[in-house]
């Protein structure tokens, strides 16, 4: 934990990219929560909610219209976009 805090402080002091504290295991867990029926996909509305939850403000609907219009978003697509 100390190392993460040190990295965050150094990143801020030197205006570097912040280290990622949200990894693929967290994304897998989030997908599992959204896919409560274990069908292997989520809806575009669930995807939009996940984007808001993780604060992925760099993902815009204009950038990924095929995902927003697609009702079946698989975990692989979800992981790639997050």
């Amino acid at each position: 934990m100390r190392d993460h805090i040190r990295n965050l402080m150094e990143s801020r002091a030197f205006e570097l990219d912040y280290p990622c504290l949200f990894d693929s295991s967290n994304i897998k867990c989030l997908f599992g929560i959204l896919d409560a029926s274990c069908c292997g996909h989520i809806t575009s509305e669930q995807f939009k909610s996940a984007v808001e939850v993780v604060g992925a403000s760099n993902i815009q609907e204009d950038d990924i219209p095929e995902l927003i219009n697609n009702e079946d978003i698989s975990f692989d697509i979800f992981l790639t976009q997050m």
Side-chain angles (χ1 to χ4, degrees):
M1 181 61 136
R2 247 184 257 179
D3 291 336
H4 285 295
I5 293 171
R6 185 178 309 119
N7 287 340
L8 286 170
M9 291 173 65
E10 288 175 2
S11 295
R12 185 173 73 183
F14 297 109
E15 297 181 11
L16 303 172
D17 288 335
Y18 289 92
C20 180
L21 301 175
F22 198 81
D23 63 17
S24 60
S25 66
N26 301 118
I27 295 171
K28 183 176 182 178
C29 183
L30 178 58
F31 186 85
I33 291 168
L34 295 171
D35 182 23
S37 63
C38 298
C39 58
H41 64 271
I42 59 172
T43 67
S44 58
E45 289 301 316
Q46 290 170 313
F47 178 78
K48 289 180 198 177
S49 296
V51 168
E52 291 176 18
V53 166
V54 300
S57 58
N58 60 328
I59 299 176
Q60 301 294 321
E61 287 186 25
D62 293 343
D63 296 335
I64 46 171
E66 67 280 358
L67 286 179
I68 300 306
N69 296 327
N70 185 357
E71 283 299 314
D72 296 334
I73 299 171
S74 70
F75 175 70
D76 291 334
I77 294 171
F78 184 78
L79 182 61
T80 302
Q81 294 298 320
M82 298 304 266

